[in-house]
Amino acid sequence: MSEGTFLGRPLPRVDGPLKVRGRASYASDHALAQRPLIGWIVEAKAAPGALRVDASRAREVAGVVEVLTHENAPAQRPRGEPADADRFTQSHALLAAPRVAFYGEPVALVVAESLEVARHAARLVEVEVDAEEGRFAVTGDEPSELQETPDELDGGTDADVSQGDFDAAWAEAAVRVDATYRTAGQIAAAMEPHATLAEWDGERLTVHTSIQIVGSGVTALANTLNLEEDRIRVLSPFVGGGFGSKLGIHGDAVLASLAALELGRPVRVVQTRRNAFASAPHRGSSIQRVRLGASEAGELLAVAHESLMPMSRGYAFAEACAATARAAYACRGLRTRHRVISTDLPAIDSLRAPGEAVGSLAFESAVDELARALGQDPLDLRLRNLARREPMSGKPFASYDLGRCLEAGAERYGWRQRGPGGAREGDWLIGHGLAAATRPNFLSESRARVSLDEEGQAAVELDMTDIGTGTYTLLTQIAADALGLPLERVQVRLADSDLPRSSGSGGSFGAASAGGAVHRACQQLRRQLEAGGPRSAEGHLEPGEDQEEYAQYMYGAHFVEVAVNAITGEPRLRRAVGAFSFGRVLNPLTARSQLIGAMTFGIGGALLEELLLDPRTGAYVNRDLAEYHVPVNRDVPRLDVLLLEEPDPRCGPLASKGVGELGICGIGAAIANGIHDATGVRVREFPLTLDKILPGLPPL
């Protein structure tokens, strides 16, 4: 065998034929020997407070098998335990106590022979909540004693980081920007709803569920249900999108498992779209203050970025909104701070590019404001202040390609040749905007097994998931390349907890981590075969010295042209160019697809997406895709994506970094900056809807 050349080629998805033929089995699609019962979730319509549930009328309906409530559900470990577990592996107990924590919390599960019967009977369950005064919205006016400092931020970094003397640098600055930005809460809205099919055979619980990290799901169910981990099997071979909302288990998995344990029959629970706004996590709103100070020549002297966000009570999670400020540009004085306020809301957790997605909206808007205050081109200001070392730590970068992204994107867009901001085409005002993108690169411990049979057919096995990102294809390419086999002789089996535990999909670390483990398993197998040894080998990858000694990031730059209707204030994105550097490009086709999807996600956050909260009750009032707006074809122009390859061997055996979340970072700020260029209106509250733009428009 000799090494192949499959990596780096734009190969189509190996799982594509299964999906287009409808043969890919998602969580709720599996056919079992015994027809499953159907569970329908009953939600609380008030919170927080004491709970009473009367399910007597529902139990009388023909076809209803049982109604689970806190009075008869199997015993569970209290929610949040054990104390040393993280948010993905702690107990996710439901129906465990006569109390409601948040509006929309599941308080009963109707289990019936059919969907129609379960749904009908659920309307007969009577739920009463003695609602107490809760805290729901975060306004920024809360007293300091309510503002908590998180133990750590998502990704494991400190809540507060400073370098140099910010106060002295701020005092020295000749030009300053001090602005506050607000971003709305968001929901993942993945195409496949959160769904679970659970089966208990008396010895082992088998759970088909839609999840991004299989291993954490096993541990969480074990902790919730008081079972040993080896008595739980989780499978998730195909996931129809997750965007962070499926990193761990949620209500559907717990409820289906409880019902299966109680009834001894398989149970399917599929969350409705409305359920997902409460029984699945969402991104919290944010209030961010950014201060930038520069010399008259445009040298960035002082950078401060502070954020305040809600945190779900008893569910420790905080976004690193100031991550971009800590990584992008050089300065003499850096100050970053994160605070949270505990609220009685559904779980607030990771949503695609947590921290950088919303943090870049504020930070890169402020950089544009500084450039305009200086009278400088915003591209030149960024290029002038590129960092030589990581600003927050002083560590050397494993690689630093932000400047090349800015220059290559500007050239493709024609930034130097753009027309003046505010140019008019009929009723439309035209503007141009840009923003940089940075996102930390992570490597997560992973294991994989590779075997070769007598016919020369390779089998790759690990519990990694494919959430629509092309994992099956990438791992097939990696194994074929390392073993010197044609693609058709490699079969990849994923997302079964009985297989070697991998990183799972999240944090943009999946391809490099799980792929690195597969690569090492293949290398070990080659060595064994050359020595006449066994035809099966395992590979193990974990972060090493390079991850400790070097700051590792992916980079990008966005350039956009926007149009704003001078009469209505309606904003439109007309074209966008994104230039990205993320190490070695393993598959240009899947990478470009990921970036286009991420840019589209960022367009939604900039212009459309907004969870609307009733501050009196804690209810989200736009709990469907009719009122929670996501981008559709008319909102998204052709997106021009440049892949700037720069293999980085310090980032792992594949010299590749993550890409899935990079494209969302920065594009929203570029759109905001373009709107300002077109109209002179600076909107600091996202999404940038026409009602916020219209009052500042110049008279006709």
Side-chain angles (χ1 to χ4, degrees), residues 397-583:
F397 290 108
S399 58
Y400 182 77
D401 218 15
L402 181 55
R404 189 161 69 111
C405 292
L406 288 163
E407 291 170 344
E411 181 179 357
R412 174 66 70 91
Y413 182 84
W415 180 261
R416 302 294 186 187
Q417 296 79 40
R418 72 193 187 281
R424 192 154 186 158
E425 294 181 6
D427 291 335
W428 296 89
L429 302 171
I430 311 303
H432 308 269
L434 76 89
T438 61
R439 170 131 180 96
N441 181 65
F442 300 104
L443 203 63
S444 182
E445 184 175 11
S446 290
R447 297 179 184 272
R449 180 168 57 241
V450 178
S451 57
L452 193 69
D453 65 19
E454 296 295 334
E455 302 299 321
Q457 186 79 18
V460 177
E461 297 178 312
L462 62 166
D463 76 353
M464 179 64 179
T465 52
D466 190 326
I467 60 174
T469 51
T471 304
Y472 280 103
T473 307
L474 289 178
L475 298 186
T476 300
Q477 288 178 263
I478 291 167
D481 201 64
L483 295 175
L485 294 175
L487 293 172
E488 60 270 18
R489 286 189 172 272
V490 176
Q491 295 295 319
V492 176
R493 184 180 170 211
L494 299 180
D496 182 339
S497 61
D498 284 349
L499 302 178
R501 183 169 288 197
S502 72
S503 64
S505 300
S508 298
F509 50 59
S513 302
V518 169
H519 179 75
R520 287 187 172 173
C522 291
Q523 288 180 319
Q524 177 62 25
L525 179 58
R526 290 179 68 98
R527 288 191 290 267
Q528 291 176 191
L529 292 175
E530 290 168 358
R535 304 178 75 87
S536 179
E538 293 206 0
H540 178 215
L541 178 140
E542 58 184 341
E545 291 183 1
D546 285 339
Q547 281 68 45
E548 289 291 330
E549 295 177 1
Y550 294 92
Q552 300 191 5
Y553 291 88
M554 305 92 77
Y555 303 98
H558 297 275
F559 297 80
V560 303
E561 178 181 314
V562 301
V564 178
N565 191 286
I567 300 172
T568 67
E570 176 191 6
R572 281 284 167 194
L573 179 62
R574 304 217 311 185
R575 66 185 180 104
V577 172
F580 305 98
S581 175
F582 47 95

Side-chain angles (χ1 to χ4, degrees), residues 234-286:
V234 171
L235 302 101
S236 189
F238 295 98
V239 179
F243 312 118
S245 74
K246 297 176 183 175
L247 287 169
I249 62 166
H250 300 293
D252 53 289
V254 174
L255 295 172
S257 298
L258 288 172
L261 290 168
E262 178 70 14
L263 302 174
R265 290 181 59 182
V267 178
R268 176 185 289 122
V269 176
V270 178
Q271 291 195 33
T272 66
R273 185 64 64 186
R274 293 181 65 82
N275 287 149
F277 281 74
S279 293
H282 65 282
R283 192 197 301 278
S285 59
S286 77

Side-chain angles (χ1 to χ4, degrees), residues 339-381:
R339 296 292 181 269
V340 293
I341 292 178
S342 292
T343 57
D344 301 292
L345 292 173
I348 296 171
D349 208 323
S350 297
L351 194 148
R352 200 171 190 180
E356 291 81 13
V358 291
S360 63
L361 290 175
F363 186 74
E364 284 291 315
S365 293
V367 173
D368 191 77
E369 293 199 46
L370 179 64
R372 292 183 178 275
L374 288 162
Q376 294 186 4
D377 187 306
L379 174 61
D380 292 336
L381 178 65

Side-chain angles (χ1 to χ4, degrees), residues 177-215:
V177 168
D178 185 346
T180 298
Y181 304 83
R182 295 173 181 263
T183 66
Q186 289 178 275
I187 197 78
M191 185 178 294
E192 180 199 18
H194 295 251
T196 298
L197 175 58
E199 184 177 24
W200 171 250
D201 65 4
E203 293 294 330
R204 202 177 194 202
L205 179 68
T206 300
V207 180
H208 300 271
T209 191
S210 190
I211 191 170
Q212 294 175 230
I213 303 178
V214 167

